[in-house]
Amino acid sequence: MSKSQQPHRLRRLLAVESARIMAEEGVVDFRVAKEKAARRLGAGGDAQHHWPNNSEIESE
């Protein structure tokens, strides 16, 4: 995978994991779900600019 594809892949993984957290754990706050997903995937706050927007999470 090229370096240019990595941010897109991370964004997609974060969207999927955030959506799963919201659906399975009953989290209703998108930011909380994104933070939990980032911690679980090892994508800390420094990668925050790669986080998905709320509509991307809703699509998942």
Side-chain angles (χ1 to χ4, degrees):
M1 177 182 306
S2 72
K3 283 197 177 254
S4 65
Q5 292 175 317
Q6 288 175 351
H8 177 73
R9 178 169 161 68
L10 175 59
R11 187 179 193 97
R12 173 84 158 88
L13 289 171
L14 286 168
V16 170
E17 183 64 10
S18 297
R20 190 191 65 71
I21 289 167
M22 293 182 86
E24 293 179 4
E25 298 179 20
V27 173
V28 295
D29 185 294
F30 283 95
R31 179 144 189 100
V32 171
K34 290 176 197 180
E35 289 170 348
K36 282 182 118 175
R39 279 194 305 273
R40 290 180 186 180
L41 296 174
D46 59 332
Q48 201 167 11
H49 59 280
H50 295 302
W51 286 11
N53 60 43
N54 296 354
S55 63
E56 290 173 287
I57 295 169
E58 287 175 334
S59 293
E60 292 301 331

